[in-house]
PDB file of all heavy atoms in Angstrom:
ATOM      1  N   VAL A  69      -3.758  16.309 -11.034  1.00 98.00           N
ATOM      2  CA  VAL A  69      -4.748  15.240 -10.914  1.00 98.00           C
ATOM      3  C   VAL A  69      -6.156  15.824 -10.848  1.00 98.00           C
ATOM      4  O   VAL A  69      -7.086  15.327 -11.498  1.00 98.00           O
ATOM      5  CB  VAL A  69      -4.458  14.363  -9.684  1.00 98.00           C
ATOM      6  CG1 VAL A  69      -5.548  13.300  -9.500  1.00 98.00           C
ATOM      7  CG2 VAL A  69      -3.094  13.686  -9.829  1.00 98.00           C
ATOM      8  N   HIS A  70      -6.330  16.901 -10.094  1.00 98.00           N
ATOM      9  CA  HIS A  70      -7.649  17.547 -10.011  1.00 98.00           C
ATOM     10  C   HIS A  70      -8.047  18.118 -11.370  1.00 98.00           C
ATOM     11  O   HIS A  70      -9.229  18.042 -11.755  1.00 98.00           O
ATOM     12  CB  HIS A  70      -7.614  18.644  -8.944  1.00 98.00           C
ATOM     13  CG  HIS A  70      -7.896  18.143  -7.566  1.00 98.00           C
ATOM     14  ND1 HIS A  70      -9.134  18.268  -6.969  1.00 98.00           N
ATOM     15  CD2 HIS A  70      -7.104  17.502  -6.685  1.00 98.00           C
ATOM     16  CE1 HIS A  70      -9.091  17.736  -5.762  1.00 98.00           C
ATOM     17  NE2 HIS A  70      -7.858  17.262  -5.564  1.00 98.00           N
ATOM     18  N   ALA A  71      -7.091  18.697 -12.096  1.00 98.00           N
ATOM     19  CA  ALA A  71      -7.409  19.245 -13.415  1.00 98.00           C
ATOM     20  C   ALA A  71      -7.831  18.131 -14.367  1.00 98.00           C
ATOM     21  O   ALA A  71      -8.772  18.298 -15.164  1.00 98.00           O
ATOM     22  CB  ALA A  71      -6.199  19.991 -13.966  1.00 98.00           C
ATOM     23  N   ALA A  72      -7.156  16.991 -14.308  1.00 98.00           N
ATOM     24  CA  ALA A  72      -7.520  15.854 -15.168  1.00 98.00           C
ATOM     25  C   ALA A  72      -8.911  15.351 -14.796  1.00 98.00           C
ATOM     26  O   ALA A  72      -9.726  15.038 -15.679  1.00 98.00           O
ATOM     27  CB  ALA A  72      -6.495  14.747 -15.034  1.00 98.00           C
ATOM     28  N   ALA A  73      -9.202  15.268 -13.506  1.00 98.00           N
ATOM     29  CA  ALA A  73     -10.535  14.822 -13.065  1.00 98.00           C
ATOM     30  C   ALA A  73     -11.618  15.761 -13.557  1.00 98.00           C
ATOM     31  O   ALA A  73     -12.693  15.319 -14.004  1.00 98.00           O
ATOM     32  CB  ALA A  73     -10.562  14.723 -11.539  1.00 98.00           C
ATOM     33  N   ALA A  74     -11.344  17.055 -13.492  1.00 98.00           N
ATOM     34  CA  ALA A  74     -12.326  18.030 -13.970  1.00 98.00           C
ATOM     35  C   ALA A  74     -12.555  17.895 -15.466  1.00 98.00           C
ATOM     36  O   ALA A  74     -13.691  18.025 -15.959  1.00 98.00           O
ATOM     37  CB  ALA A  74     -11.849  19.447 -13.640  1.00 98.00           C
ATOM     38  N   ARG A  75     -11.496  17.610 -16.207  1.00 98.00           N
ATOM     39  CA  ARG A  75     -11.645  17.427 -17.653  1.00 98.00           C
ATOM     40  C   ARG A  75     -12.459  16.185 -17.976  1.00 98.00           C
ATOM     41  O   ARG A  75     -13.309  16.199 -18.870  1.00 98.00           O
ATOM     42  CB  ARG A  75     -10.264  17.341 -18.300  1.00 98.00           C
ATOM     43  CG  ARG A  75     -10.347  17.248 -19.820  1.00 98.00           C
ATOM     44  CD  ARG A  75      -8.991  17.238 -20.470  1.00 98.00           C
ATOM     45  NE  ARG A  75      -9.114  16.983 -21.899  1.00 98.00           N
ATOM     46  CZ  ARG A  75      -8.091  16.691 -22.683  1.00 98.00           C
ATOM     47  NH1 ARG A  75      -6.864  16.640 -22.180  1.00 98.00           N
ATOM     48  NH2 ARG A  75      -8.294  16.457 -23.966  1.00 98.00           N
ATOM     49  N   VAL A  76     -12.222  15.103 -17.242  1.00 98.00           N
ATOM     50  CA  VAL A  76     -12.998  13.879 -17.461  1.00 98.00           C
ATOM     51  C   VAL A  76     -14.479  14.142 -17.230  1.00 98.00           C
ATOM     52  O   VAL A  76     -15.331  13.765 -18.041  1.00 98.00           O
ATOM     53  CB  VAL A  76     -12.511  12.751 -16.512  1.00 98.00           C
ATOM     54  CG1 VAL A  76     -13.437  11.545 -16.594  1.00 98.00           C
ATOM     55  CG2 VAL A  76     -11.084  12.346 -16.864  1.00 98.00           C
ATOM     56  N   GLU A  77     -14.780  14.824 -16.144  1.00 98.00           N
ATOM     57  CA  GLU A  77     -16.194  15.098 -15.842  1.00 98.00           C
ATOM     58  C   GLU A  77     -16.815  16.024 -16.869  1.00 98.00           C
ATOM     59  O   GLU A  77     -17.964  15.842 -17.265  1.00 98.00           O
ATOM     60  CB  GLU A  77     -16.315  15.696 -14.440  1.00 98.00           C
ATOM     61  CG  GLU A  77     -17.753  15.920 -14.017  1.00 98.00           C
ATOM     62  CD  GLU A  77     -17.929  16.115 -12.530  1.00 98.00           C
ATOM     63  OE1 GLU A  77     -16.953  15.930 -11.781  1.00 98.00           O
ATOM     64  OE2 GLU A  77     -19.063  16.434 -12.116  1.00 98.00           O
ATOM     65  N   ALA A  78     -16.051  17.021 -17.333  1.00 98.00           N
ATOM     66  CA  ALA A  78     -16.575  17.968 -18.299  1.00 98.00           C
ATOM     67  C   ALA A  78     -16.857  17.323 -19.651  1.00 98.00           C
ATOM     68  O   ALA A  78     -17.838  17.658 -20.332  1.00 98.00           O
ATOM     69  CB  ALA A  78     -15.621  19.143 -18.465  1.00 98.00           C
ATOM     70  N   GLU A  79     -15.995  16.367 -20.059  1.00 98.00           N
ATOM     71  CA  GLU A  79     -16.111  15.803 -21.406  1.00 98.00           C
ATOM     72  C   GLU A  79     -16.847  14.470 -21.468  1.00 98.00           C
ATOM     73  O   GLU A  79     -17.478  14.162 -22.482  1.00 98.00           O
ATOM     74  CB  GLU A  79     -14.715  15.659 -22.020  1.00 98.00           C
ATOM     75  CG  GLU A  79     -13.988  16.999 -22.159  1.00 98.00           C
ATOM     76  CD  GLU A  79     -12.802  16.935 -23.095  1.00 98.00           C
ATOM     77  OE1 GLU A  79     -12.817  16.105 -24.027  1.00 98.00           O
ATOM     78  OE2 GLU A  79     -11.844  17.722 -22.880  1.00 98.00           O
ATOM     79  N   LEU A  80     -16.793  13.696 -20.388  1.00 98.00           N
ATOM     80  CA  LEU A  80     -17.467  12.401 -20.395  1.00 98.00           C
ATOM     81  C   LEU A  80     -18.604  12.294 -19.376  1.00 98.00           C
ATOM     82  O   LEU A  80     -19.496  11.455 -19.528  1.00 98.00           O
ATOM     83  CB  LEU A  80     -16.454  11.272 -20.116  1.00 98.00           C
ATOM     84  CG  LEU A  80     -15.326  11.070 -21.125  1.00 98.00           C
ATOM     85  CD1 LEU A  80     -14.478   9.873 -20.710  1.00 98.00           C
ATOM     86  CD2 LEU A  80     -15.877  10.869 -22.527  1.00 98.00           C
ATOM     87  N   GLY A  81     -18.525  13.138 -18.342  1.00 98.00           N
ATOM     88  CA  GLY A  81     -19.484  13.054 -17.263  1.00 98.00           C
ATOM     89  C   GLY A  81     -18.801  12.575 -15.998  1.00 98.00           C
ATOM     90  O   GLY A  81     -17.641  12.137 -16.022  1.00 98.00           O
ATOM     91  N   PRO A  82     -19.493  12.631 -14.876  1.00 98.00           N
ATOM     92  CA  PRO A  82     -18.894  12.173 -13.620  1.00 98.00           C
ATOM     93  C   PRO A  82     -18.469  10.708 -13.719  1.00 98.00           C
ATOM     94  O   PRO A  82     -19.225   9.875 -14.236  1.00 98.00           O
ATOM     95  CB  PRO A  82     -20.034  12.330 -12.606  1.00 98.00           C
ATOM     96  CG  PRO A  82     -20.981  13.317 -13.217  1.00 98.00           C
ATOM     97  CD  PRO A  82     -20.878  13.101 -14.698  1.00 98.00           C
ATOM     98  N   PRO A  83     -17.285  10.365 -13.244  1.00 98.00           N
ATOM     99  CA  PRO A  83     -16.832   8.966 -13.368  1.00 98.00           C
ATOM    100  C   PRO A  83     -17.608   8.021 -12.465  1.00 98.00           C
ATOM    101  O   PRO A  83     -17.808   8.305 -11.277  1.00 98.00           O
ATOM    102  CB  PRO A  83     -15.358   9.043 -12.955  1.00 98.00           C
ATOM    103  CG  PRO A  83     -15.257  10.273 -12.102  1.00 98.00           C
ATOM    104  CD  PRO A  83     -16.271  11.236 -12.630  1.00 98.00           C
ATOM    105  N   ASP A  84     -18.040   6.917 -13.053  1.00 98.00           N
ATOM    106  CA  ASP A  84     -18.667   5.855 -12.280  1.00 98.00           C
ATOM    107  C   ASP A  84     -17.616   4.959 -11.636  1.00 98.00           C
ATOM    108  O   ASP A  84     -17.848   4.357 -10.590  1.00 98.00           O
ATOM    109  CB  ASP A  84     -19.548   4.998 -13.181  1.00 98.00           C
ATOM    110  CG  ASP A  84     -20.620   5.798 -13.886  1.00 98.00           C
ATOM    111  OD1 ASP A  84     -21.498   6.336 -13.178  1.00 98.00           O
ATOM    112  OD2 ASP A  84     -20.589   5.890 -15.130  1.00 98.00           O
ATOM    113  N   LEU A  85     -16.454   4.882 -12.296  1.00 98.00           N
ATOM    114  CA  LEU A  85     -15.388   3.992 -11.867  1.00 98.00           C
ATOM    115  C   LEU A  85     -14.051   4.697 -12.034  1.00 98.00           C
ATOM    116  O   LEU A  85     -13.770   5.236 -13.102  1.00 98.00           O
ATOM    117  CB  LEU A  85     -15.415   2.715 -12.727  1.00 98.00           C
ATOM    118  CG  LEU A  85     -14.219   1.765 -12.648  1.00 98.00           C
ATOM    119  CD1 LEU A  85     -14.081   1.169 -11.257  1.00 98.00           C
ATOM    120  CD2 LEU A  85     -14.360   0.670 -13.702  1.00 98.00           C
ATOM    121  N   VAL A  86     -13.247   4.689 -10.996  1.00 98.00           N
ATOM    122  CA  VAL A  86     -11.897   5.246 -11.055  1.00 98.00           C
ATOM    123  C   VAL A  86     -10.919   4.160 -10.625  1.00 98.00           C
ATOM    124  O   VAL A  86     -11.047   3.587  -9.543  1.00 98.00           O
ATOM    125  CB  VAL A  86     -11.750   6.465 -10.133  1.00 98.00           C
ATOM    126  CG1 VAL A  86     -10.314   6.980 -10.149  1.00 98.00           C
ATOM    127  CG2 VAL A  86     -12.708   7.577 -10.567  1.00 98.00           C
ATOM    128  N   LEU A  87      -9.981   3.847 -11.508  1.00 98.00           N
ATOM    129  CA  LEU A  87      -8.953   2.865 -11.215  1.00 98.00           C
ATOM    130  C   LEU A  87      -7.620   3.578 -11.031  1.00 98.00           C
ATOM    131  O   LEU A  87      -7.145   4.261 -11.942  1.00 98.00           O
ATOM    132  CB  LEU A  87      -8.834   1.841 -12.358  1.00 98.00           C
ATOM    133  CG  LEU A  87      -9.968   0.837 -12.397  1.00 98.00           C
ATOM    134  CD1 LEU A  87     -10.908   1.166 -13.538  1.00 98.00           C
ATOM    135  CD2 LEU A  87      -9.429  -0.566 -12.553  1.00 98.00           C
ATOM    136  N   LEU A  88      -7.066   3.422  -9.861  1.00 98.00           N
ATOM    137  CA  LEU A  88      -5.801   4.079  -9.508  1.00 98.00           C
ATOM    138  C   LEU A  88      -4.679   3.057  -9.652  1.00 98.00           C
ATOM    139  O   LEU A  88      -4.472   2.219  -8.769  1.00 98.00           O
ATOM    140  CB  LEU A  88      -5.884   4.643  -8.089  1.00 98.00           C
ATOM    141  CG  LEU A  88      -7.067   5.606  -7.871  1.00 98.00           C
ATOM    142  CD1 LEU A  88      -7.194   5.974  -6.406  1.00 98.00           C
ATOM    143  CD2 LEU A  88      -6.924   6.837  -8.752  1.00 98.00           C
ATOM    144  N   CYS A  89      -3.993   3.113 -10.794  1.00 95.00           N
ATOM    145  CA  CYS A  89      -3.027   2.076 -11.175  1.00 95.00           C
ATOM    146  C   CYS A  89      -1.584   2.554 -11.156  1.00 95.00           C
ATOM    147  O   CYS A  89      -0.666   1.739 -11.389  1.00 95.00           O
ATOM    148  CB  CYS A  89      -3.340   1.561 -12.587  1.00 95.00           C
ATOM    149  SG  CYS A  89      -5.005   0.952 -12.841  1.00 95.00           S
ATOM    150  N   ALA A  90      -1.340   3.826 -10.956  1.00 95.00           N
ATOM    151  CA  ALA A  90       0.041   4.331 -11.049  1.00 95.00           C
ATOM    152  C   ALA A  90       0.927   3.643 -10.021  1.00 95.00           C
ATOM    153  O   ALA A  90       0.538   3.466  -8.860  1.00 95.00           O
ATOM    154  CB  ALA A  90       0.060   5.840 -10.845  1.00 95.00           C
ATOM    155  N   GLY A  91       2.124   3.248 -10.447  1.00 90.00           N
ATOM    156  CA  GLY A  91       3.013   2.563  -9.526  1.00 90.00           C
ATOM    157  C   GLY A  91       4.474   2.764  -9.862  1.00 90.00           C
ATOM    158  O   GLY A  91       4.833   3.020 -11.006  1.00 90.00           O
ATOM    159  N   HIS A  92       5.303   2.612  -8.841  1.00 89.00           N
ATOM    160  CA  HIS A  92       6.754   2.713  -9.004  1.00 89.00           C
ATOM    161  C   HIS A  92       7.396   1.561  -8.264  1.00 89.00           C
ATOM    162  O   HIS A  92       6.981   1.197  -7.154  1.00 89.00           O
ATOM    163  CB  HIS A  92       7.263   4.041  -8.435  1.00 89.00           C
ATOM    164  CG  HIS A  92       8.754   4.189  -8.494  1.00 89.00           C
ATOM    165  ND1 HIS A  92       9.437   4.382  -9.672  1.00 89.00           N
ATOM    166  CD2 HIS A  92       9.697   4.164  -7.495  1.00 89.00           C
ATOM    167  CE1 HIS A  92      10.733   4.490  -9.426  1.00 89.00           C
ATOM    168  NE2 HIS A  92      10.917   4.349  -8.119  1.00 89.00           N
ATOM    169  N   TRP A  93       8.402   0.940  -8.901  1.00 82.00           N
ATOM    170  CA  TRP A  93       9.136  -0.172  -8.279  1.00 82.00           C
ATOM    171  C   TRP A  93      10.617  -0.035  -8.561  1.00 82.00           C
ATOM    172  O   TRP A  93      11.019   0.150  -9.711  1.00 82.00           O
ATOM    173  CB  TRP A  93       8.632  -1.510  -8.821  1.00 82.00           C
ATOM    174  CG  TRP A  93       9.647  -2.619  -8.815  1.00 82.00           C
ATOM    175  CD1 TRP A  93      10.253  -3.167  -9.921  1.00 82.00           C
ATOM    176  CD2 TRP A  93      10.168  -3.336  -7.686  1.00 82.00           C
ATOM    177  NE1 TRP A  93      11.119  -4.169  -9.544  1.00 82.00           N
ATOM    178  CE2 TRP A  93      11.092  -4.302  -8.178  1.00 82.00           C
ATOM    179  CE3 TRP A  93       9.960  -3.244  -6.307  1.00 82.00           C
ATOM    180  CZ2 TRP A  93      11.773  -5.172  -7.343  1.00 82.00           C
ATOM    181  CZ3 TRP A  93      10.659  -4.106  -5.465  1.00 82.00           C
ATOM    182  CH2 TRP A  93      11.536  -5.060  -5.986  1.00 82.00           C
ATOM    183  N   GLN A  94      11.416  -0.102  -7.534  1.00 83.00           N
ATOM    184  CA  GLN A  94      12.868  -0.191  -7.662  1.00 83.00           C
ATOM    185  C   GLN A  94      13.391  -1.015  -6.498  1.00 83.00           C
ATOM    186  O   GLN A  94      13.102  -0.712  -5.339  1.00 83.00           O
ATOM    187  CB  GLN A  94      13.510   1.198  -7.642  1.00 83.00           C
ATOM    188  CG  GLN A  94      15.027   1.163  -7.823  1.00 83.00           C
ATOM    189  CD  GLN A  94      15.634   2.554  -7.816  1.00 83.00           C
ATOM    190  OE1 GLN A  94      14.930   3.566  -7.861  1.00 83.00           O
ATOM    191  NE2 GLN A  94      16.955   2.615  -7.754  1.00 83.00           N
ATOM    192  N   GLN A  95      14.093  -2.062  -6.814  1.00 81.00           N
ATOM    193  CA  GLN A  95      14.601  -2.945  -5.777  1.00 81.00           C
ATOM    194  C   GLN A  95      15.713  -2.270  -4.991  1.00 81.00           C
ATOM    195  O   GLN A  95      16.553  -1.559  -5.550  1.00 81.00           O
ATOM    196  CB  GLN A  95      15.125  -4.240  -6.401  1.00 81.00           C
ATOM    197  CG  GLN A  95      15.533  -5.292  -5.374  1.00 81.00           C
ATOM    198  CD  GLN A  95      15.894  -6.605  -6.018  1.00 81.00           C
ATOM    199  OE1 GLN A  95      16.049  -6.684  -7.239  1.00 81.00           O
ATOM    200  NE2 GLN A  95      16.035  -7.637  -5.219  1.00 81.00           N
ATOM    201  N   MET A  96      15.707  -2.489  -3.675  1.00 78.00           N
ATOM    202  CA  MET A  96      16.786  -1.982  -2.836  1.00 78.00           C
ATOM    203  C   MET A  96      17.847  -3.056  -2.694  1.00 78.00           C
ATOM    204  O   MET A  96      17.533  -4.180  -2.296  1.00 78.00           O
ATOM    205  CB  MET A  96      16.258  -1.576  -1.462  1.00 78.00           C
ATOM    206  CG  MET A  96      15.594  -0.229  -1.423  1.00 78.00           C
ATOM    207  SD  MET A  96      15.531   0.419   0.258  1.00 78.00           S
ATOM    208  CE  MET A  96      14.773   2.014  -0.036  1.00 78.00           C
ATOM    209  N   PRO A  97      19.107  -2.752  -3.033  1.00 75.00           N
ATOM    210  CA  PRO A  97      20.165  -3.764  -2.877  1.00 75.00           C
ATOM    211  C   PRO A  97      20.314  -4.176  -1.419  1.00 75.00           C
ATOM    212  O   PRO A  97      20.105  -3.386  -0.508  1.00 75.00           O
ATOM    213  CB  PRO A  97      21.425  -3.018  -3.364  1.00 75.00           C
ATOM    214  CG  PRO A  97      20.913  -1.900  -4.216  1.00 75.00           C
ATOM    215  CD  PRO A  97      19.595  -1.503  -3.614  1.00 75.00           C
ATOM    216  N   ALA A  98      20.653  -5.434  -1.205  1.00 70.00           N
ATOM    217  CA  ALA A  98      20.790  -5.964   0.153  1.00 70.00           C
ATOM    218  C   ALA A  98      21.826  -5.185   0.955  1.00 70.00           C
ATOM    219  O   ALA A  98      22.926  -4.891   0.454  1.00 70.00           O
ATOM    220  CB  ALA A  98      21.184  -7.443   0.089  1.00 70.00           C
ATOM    221  N   GLY A  99      21.466  -4.841   2.161  1.00 76.00           N
ATOM    222  CA  GLY A  99      22.402  -4.189   3.064  1.00 76.00           C
ATOM    223  C   GLY A  99      22.612  -2.709   2.816  1.00 76.00           C
ATOM    224  O   GLY A  99      23.494  -2.112   3.436  1.00 76.00           O
ATOM    225  N   THR A 100      21.830  -2.115   1.910  1.00 82.00           N
ATOM    226  CA  THR A 100      21.960  -0.679   1.666  1.00 82.00           C
ATOM    227  C   THR A 100      20.614  -0.010   1.861  1.00 82.00           C
ATOM    228  O   THR A 100      19.582  -0.665   1.990  1.00 82.00           O
ATOM    229  CB  THR A 100      22.445  -0.403   0.231  1.00 82.00           C
ATOM    230  OG1 THR A 100      21.439  -0.799  -0.701  1.00 82.00           O
ATOM    231  CG2 THR A 100      23.735  -1.172  -0.057  1.00 82.00           C
TER     232      THR A 100
END
Side-chain angles (χ1 to χ4, degrees):
V69 176
H70 274 260
R75 184 176 173 192
V76 172
E77 184 163 353
E79 298 196 29
L80 297 182
D84 302 296
L85 168 65
V86 176
L87 285 106
L88 304 173
C89 305
H92 177 71
W93 152 251
Q94 182 179 350
Q95 187 174 11
M96 280 200 177
T100 67

